[in-house]
């Protein structure tokens, strides 16, 4: 029992050291559907349901920043039918959030170039950000049309513009300058990044911000991901020794 147990059910999650900022690469929807002989769209539907449950759970246990990777800059290369299905589920969620989040504490934020989405979706994103902007609970970052490289290119352009106009001198540019031009400006770097579905790669997620993030790979596919899986990752995280280059 207690903190030395290896059974996640024995451990009180509220008593362990939680990551202040948790990132999750929501992966495995397609394989989940394939295993069941279902179309990939069924996997995305099931994944959307997991997303709702896990984001609520993170808010309940006191995670302060949660970043969920929902759609990458590379995901546009999927067949049109699949992209259209994803847009349909994004729209459904954004409409639901607009209805239900008014009385909530969660603050929604979007990381990525939202202007690439159909207008009805980007407008819902802006409305959700505005509606929840004064909320003081968990910040829920949804990485949509997000790519770590695209984010850095955007930052470099903005910094160059300021250098050309004389607002900043090239000599003064430091790591904080770059962090301040990313979508996550003002937020702490992710402490823990979880990738379900067993893939060992970042797929362009939070490249700059994840320099010292702990990684946790879980073999379970995202639609099957439960709070028990998350608890297991959180417990392992709480026991890791982060050195940040020190001893
Ligand atoms: C994650 O599941 C959802 C998105 C990337 C939008 P996938 O659709 O990548 O599922 P797999 O990796 O093909 O199983
Ligand atoms: C990463 O998953 C992007 C999201 C989960 C949104 P992918 O399924 O697109 O990544 P790869 O193609 O396996 O690297
Ligand atoms: Mg995938």
């Amino acid at each position: 029992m207690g903190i030395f147990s290896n059974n996640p059910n024995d451990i009180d999650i509220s008593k362990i050291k939680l990551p202040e900022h948790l990132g999750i690469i929501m992966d495995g929807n397609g394989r989940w559907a394939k295993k069941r002989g279902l179309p990939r769209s069924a996997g995305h539907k099931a994944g959307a349901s997991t997303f709702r449950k896990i984001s609520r759970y993170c808010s309940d246990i006191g995670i302060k920043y949660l970043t969920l990777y929902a759609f990458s800059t590379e995901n546009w290369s999927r067949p049109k039918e699949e992209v259209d299905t994803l847009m349909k589920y994004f729209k459904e969620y954004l409409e639901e959030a607009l209805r239900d989040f008014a009385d909530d504490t969660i603050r929604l934020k979007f990381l990525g170039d939202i202007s690439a989405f159909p207008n009805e979706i980007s407008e819902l994103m802006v409305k959700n950000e505005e509606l929840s902007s004064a909320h003081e609970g968990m910040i829920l970052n949804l990485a949509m049309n997000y790519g770590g490289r695209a984010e850095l290119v955007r930052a470099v352009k903005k910094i160059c513009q300021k250098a050309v106009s004389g607002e900043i001198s090239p000599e003064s540019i430091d790591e904080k300058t770059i962090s301040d031009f990313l979508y996550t400006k003002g937020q702490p770097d992710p402490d823990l990044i979880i990738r379900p579905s067993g893939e060992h790669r970042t797929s362009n997620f939070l490249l700059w911000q994840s320099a010292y993030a702990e990684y946790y790979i879980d073999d379970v596919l995202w639609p099957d991901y439960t709070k028990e899986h998350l608890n297991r990752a959180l417990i392992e995280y709480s026991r890791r020794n982060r050195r940040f280059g020190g001893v």
Side-chain angles (χ1 to χ4, degrees), residues 50-61 66 100-101 104-106 138 140:
T50 304
F51 155 78
R52 286 170 170 80
K53 282 185 236 158
I54 294 295
S55 50
R56 176 60 53 197
Y57 179 64
C58 286
S59 159
D60 289 347
I61 62 174
L66 173 65
D100 301 346
F101 269 37
D104 211 302
T105 59
I106 294 178
M138 181 179 82
L140 174 54

Side-chain angles (χ1 to χ4, degrees), residues 25-33 40 44 69-72 75 78 82 86 90 195 197 199 201 221-222:
I25 301 172
M26 303 189 286
D27 196 17
N29 295 350
R31 278 163 282 171
W32 182 91
R40 290 178 64 86
H44 293 312
Y69 201 7
F71 193 82
S72 74
N75 288 147
R78 295 186 178 199
E82 178 164 349
L86 286 164
F90 293 156
R195 183 158 192 166
S197 92
E199 304 295 359
R201 55 177 172 268
L221 302 170
W222 177 248

Side-chain angles (χ1 to χ4, degrees), residues 5-6 8 11 13 16-17 192 214-217 229-242:
S5 168
N6 278 319
I11 295 174
I13 287 295
I16 66 167
K17 180 186 60 131
L192 171 66
E214 294 293 321
Y215 264 86
Y216 185 96
I217 311 293
H229 295 104
L230 179 54
N231 286 348
R232 225 181 283 272
L234 293 172
I235 291 163
E236 187 186 307
Y237 166 81
S238 74
R239 292 170 175 171
R240 287 195 194 170
N241 177 16
R242 300 178 77 190

Side-chain angles (χ1 to χ4, degrees), residues 22 27 46-47 58 62 67 76 111 137 141 175 180 189 202 231 234:
L22 168 66
D27 196 17
C58 286
T67 301
W76 296 107
L111 314 185
N141 294 313
E175 294 186 4
D180 283 348
D189 286 338
T202 70
N231 286 348
L234 293 172

Side-chain angles (χ1 to χ4, degrees), residues 96-122:
E96 173 191 311
L98 210 51
R99 268 198 318 273
D100 301 346
F101 269 37
D103 300 324
D104 211 302
T105 59
I106 294 178
R107 178 168 173 189
L108 267 182
K109 227 183 115 47
F110 295 91
L111 314 185
D113 176 11
I114 65 168
S115 71
F117 288 101
N119 279 349
E120 50 176 9
I121 292 188
S122 56

